[in-house]
Amino acid sequence: MLFVGLDVSVAETSVCVMDRDGGLVLEGKVRTDPVAIGLYLAKHAPAAERIGLEAGGSSSWLCRELRDQGFPVVHMEARHAHRALSMRINKTDRNDARGLAELMRVGWFKPAHAKSVEAHRSRSLLLARQRLINMRRDLENQIRNIMKTTGTMLGSTAGRGFSARVRAACDGSEILAAMCMPLLQVVTTIRDQIKAYDRLLLGMARRDETARRLMTVPGVGALTSLAFMSAIDDPARFRRASDVGAYLGLTPRRHQSGEMDWSGRISKLGDGLARTYLFEAACVLLGRIERWSALKAWGVRLVRKVGSKKARIAVARKIAVILHCIWVDGTEFQWAVAPAEA
């Protein structure tokens, strides 16, 4: 019975093969390619009981490809593997591969879900869009700071008013135009690309039957539904719908030892983008949607009891649970009649 550890890097992957008693059978390196790794394993460890690799940038891809070749690959949770490997004095690729093989042998590991190609595609598009939004904000703030040094105050600008005010200010000053117009042109290009991402993501959500059902929940739009689907990927891997809130970092941390027992802020573990969109959905539900539902009534009562911020987090967690249930059941959001003064 053999156990294998794979320490994956960009160019090469360190391989360690260990027997059931902890003896080293083979150590080596192979090119980081699923075909090359598969041939290496088929030659040196064809009857491996478990093959472990740590979750990382390319690990999902390698995990899918190796499983398709028939290998019993275990995708290990990164934080758990890191804690185990950090106990070693010397950190090298060889030692990491040996440590991963040891974890496979003793069974002291926590499996992590290897996401599908569709989930990675949606997440990559959402992250690219968010990166452009951050870049646009940074450039707009830079333009504001430049103008402040010359005594030009743009004031509050919403929507398209920012570009118009910047151009108006630059028309009267060649120096200001030389400093700000190149940045404004970049901002305009970024806005166009954000709109292109919006059209692409909206089309993806409209063509997906599950995403359309998720969007029946008040406050949930195309971006929120796609972010949630890319974060969860497979709803069947959660035994209870309530586990989704903890997976997305929307549950409070707890510290209990002896007589000490306290709950802190939410953990903020998991997919931060999906968590942000769920929080925004809760804000829209409580602040902008006028139609009443049992969910909105519950959130309003919670606002009066614990305050706006905690209530919105609780509503975001509730929305995550509802989205999971809708995904699993194949149903849509049920608008229950609730009095406006609930």
Side-chain angles (χ1 to χ4, degrees):
M1 186 178 294
L2 300 177
F3 302 90
V4 181
L6 303 177
D7 185 64
V8 180
S9 61
V10 177
E12 291 184 320
T13 295
S14 295
V15 183
C16 176
V17 182
M18 187 175 292
D19 61 25
R20 63 186 305 172
D21 297 323
L24 292 177
V25 177
L26 176 69
E27 288 183 315
K29 287 191 175 183
V30 63
R31 182 165 51 90
T32 301
D33 177 79
V35 176
I37 296 174
L39 293 174
Y40 189 90
L41 294 175
K43 179 180 180 180
H44 299 289
E49 180 72 14
R50 284 191 292 266
I51 302 172
L53 69 161
E54 186 179 356
S58 60
S59 61
S60 294
W61 163 63
L62 288 174
C63 187
R64 289 193 304 268
E65 295 293 330
L66 291 175
R67 285 175 178 173
D68 290 341
Q69 296 179 40
F71 293 103
V73 179
V74 177
H75 196 229
M76 287 185 287
E77 207 276 332
R79 291 187 302 271
H80 189 274
H82 174 72
R83 291 292 180 88
L85 297 177
S86 63
M87 292 185 291
R88 293 177 175 268
I89 298 176
N90 299 318
K91 174 173 172 45
T92 63
D93 293 342
R94 180 180 178 181
N95 283 344
D96 286 348
R98 186 180 300 182
L100 295 175
E102 183 69 23
L103 292 178
M104 291 294 99
R105 185 182 72 86
V106 300
W108 193 65
F109 60 87
K110 183 177 181 181
H113 176 67
K115 293 184 179 180
S116 63
V117 177
E118 293 77 12
H120 278 294
R121 182 195 176 200
S122 298
R123 177 171 171 77
S124 296
L125 291 171
L126 289 166
L127 288 175
R129 176 186 178 274
Q130 188 61 43
R131 179 60 62 87
L132 289 182
I133 290 176
N134 294 338
M135 292 171 60
R136 183 194 64 186
R137 183 193 61 233
D138 293 340
L139 290 174
E140 289 178 349
N141 289 338
Q142 183 64 29
I143 293 174
R144 287 179 179 274
N145 292 333
I146 291 174
M147 289 194 165
K148 285 180 181 179
T149 60
T150 63
T152 304
M153 304 299 177
L154 294 178
S156 177
T157 56
R160 301 177 181 176
F162 178 81
S163 297
R165 291 195 182 186
V166 171
R167 289 192 175 92
C170 292
D171 288 341
S173 173
E174 294 183 1
I175 297 178
L176 196 60
M179 291 187 292
C180 295
M181 289 307 297
L183 293 176
L184 185 61
Q185 291 177 4
V186 177
V187 169
T188 303
T189 302
I190 291 177
R191 284 180 175 174
D192 293 338
Q193 296 305 316
I194 292 174
K195 291 178 182 178
Y197 275 126
D198 288 341
R199 290 191 295 268
L200 178 59
L201 291 167
L202 181 59
M204 290 174 56
R206 287 176 174 175
R207 290 189 298 270
D208 191 281
E209 187 269 339
T210 300
R212 292 199 305 270
R213 289 191 289 106
L214 297 184
M215 287 190 289
T216 61
V217 179
V220 175
L223 299 180
T224 305
S225 63
L226 291 176
F228 182 81
M229 292 173 62
S230 66
I232 302 302
D233 190 28
D234 181 13
R237 63 193 180 101
F238 294 93
R239 187 180 63 178
R240 299 174 302 178
S242 57
D243 295 337
V244 175
Y247 177 77
L248 295 175
L250 288 168
T251 54
R253 291 179 179 270
R254 185 185 178 189
H255 179 82
Q256 190 276 325
S257 178
E259 298 179 354
M260 181 183 299
D261 190 354
W262 56 268
S263 296
R265 298 177 181 272
I266 59 173
S267 65
K268 294 186 179 181
L269 298 176
D271 194 316
L273 188 62
R275 183 170 58 251
T276 298
Y277 279 129
L278 288 170
F279 183 79
E280 291 179 356
C283 294
V284 171
L285 172 65
L286 296 177
R288 296 177 58 184
I289 294 179
E290 297 181 356
R291 183 179 177 183
W292 282 87
S293 63
L295 178 61
K296 180 178 175 66
W298 176 78
V300 170
R301 290 195 299 269
L302 209 57
V303 170
R304 297 170 182 169
K305 183 178 180 181
V306 300
S308 176
K309 187 174 182 179
K310 289 184 178 180
R312 291 176 180 180
I313 293 174
V315 171
R317 184 166 59 246
K318 179 72 72 174
I319 289 176
V321 173
I322 293 174
L323 291 177
H324 181 271
C325 292
I326 289 176
W327 194 350
V328 172
D329 298 340
T331 57
E332 296 183 357
F333 182 77
Q334 301 297 317
W335 289 84
V337 178
E341 298 299 329

